[in-house]
Amino acid sequence: MLTPEMALARAQDIVSRARAAGADAADAVLGASASVDVSVRLGKLEDVGRSEEEELGLRVFVGRRSASVSTSDLSSDAMDILVERAVAMAREAPEDRWAGLAPENRLLKGDIPDLDLHDGDEPSPASLKEAALAAEDAARAVAGVTNSEGGGASAHRMSWALATSHGFAGAYRTTSHGIQASVLAGGGEAAMVRDYAYHAARHASDLESPEEIGRTAGERAVARVDPAKIASGPMPVIFDPRVGSSLVGHLISAIAGAAIARGTSFLLGKLGQRVFADGITITDDPHRPRGLRSRPFDGEGLGVATTDLVRDGVLQTWLLESASARQLGLEPTGHAVRGGSGAPGVGTSNTYLAPGKASRDELFAGISRGVYVTELIGMGVNTVTGDYSRGAAGFLIENGEIARPVDEFTIAGNLTDMFLNLTAADDLEFRYATNVPTLLINGMTAAGG
């Protein structure tokens, strides 16, 4: 696999070739990755997969015309053909007055920050198999588990480089490791139900033990056996952190620069206004050491910094790459993300909703009748209108206590109202790329199946 230095040299080389071929400006990204995945089921090895990939993406500009191309063939002859094709495409493309590289004065200068994203560990397939078996064995050992969908373990390494014709050159490398288990409970007169647990980390040493992951999966599945149907009506809804993070995802989609520039967001015109309840703060932290989405620079070469998206309920910023920033007459925010092909989009890094003052138990204690959601199904969310309707499963809340499991119901509302009626517990843990504590939203509607 290419080292970061090798990847950066390739990216710089193709940018130079593009300029020599007639491009006024160009940038290139190169991602090189290697991964190993092992899956087991019922105590036996099911699959071992290994993959190595290299993809280079080139974007060229001829005036205000641009084109993007990508390839996995990194030979010199292929680079010449790619450059020739890209420049020819750009000359025939329509003009876009917003297109262009990021502002040169905003590019990251100096050393690339070291965020400790690579542990140098390359687990063998045998050790991954051992971890996957241990996770599944622990899940199957939970009383009430009746079958298994399997266990798995994986290891991934990546080098990523970006070079631009106006002076940016940077590269870094990452590792990621994961363990998961998924099992079933019930059967016979009781319908079978499933649940899962997983954990991912940049460093293998930060992973939870396979036994803990498996035990959690088994306990979650058993708790869902013999679900009831929920009676329809308005009620408070509590979101488990596993699913509550999706609410932050809807916010991110609604404040993306392209959506604002097109006028297709329910938060249009809300910058600087209250969009969440008092006390709610949502922060994006790209510099967290070992963070699952940490990055030393964005997809256009801009420096990145910790940013409050929402502070004390008030919307603080849009998420802007250079093109949407120009269209809106604003500055890019360092949230550009870039794949192998196409122009940059936007995305956050390690995003979290700050913990509130009430404990998780206190959130439940105030509810005489409600629902605790542990699984969401479907994608019934309209970020243009804010309308929200999703299938769900979880547990009834009765007199402040978690009662029997329920499934096949729908929760509905509008994100505008949901955000303003959101209360956060104090149990925030950093386990995922987007993290939230337990969340309560009053005023939603639940409808039974």
Side-chain angles (χ1 to χ4, degrees), residues 25 45 249 275 308 354 405 427:
L45 180 67
V275 297
D308 285 343
D427 59 345

Side-chain angles (χ1 to χ4, degrees), residues 27 29 59 100-113 115 160 162-164 166-172 284 286-287 294-307 318-326 330-338 344-347 349:
D27 62 4
V29 292
R59 184 173 57 145
L101 300 179
E104 185 173 350
N105 65 344
R106 292 287 308 280
L107 296 175
L108 177 65
K109 307 295 184 182
D111 295 336
I112 304 298
L115 304 177
W160 198 86
L162 168 67
T164 74
H166 65 341
F168 180 80
Y172 61 98
D284 185 45
H287 283 160
S294 293
R295 56 194 182 210
F297 51 85
D298 83 344
E300 295 183 304
L302 273 63
V304 293
T306 300
T307 305
W318 307 129
L319 303 178
L320 303 174
E321 88 299 345
S322 294
S324 62
R326 292 188 188 100
L330 300 170
E331 288 291 316
T333 60
H335 290 94
V337 294
R338 179 83 182 273
V346 295
S349 57

Side-chain angles (χ1 to χ4, degrees), residues 341-359:
S341 60
V346 295
T348 52
S349 57
N350 308 293
T351 311
Y352 66 94
L353 192 153
K357 297 180 180 179
S359 69

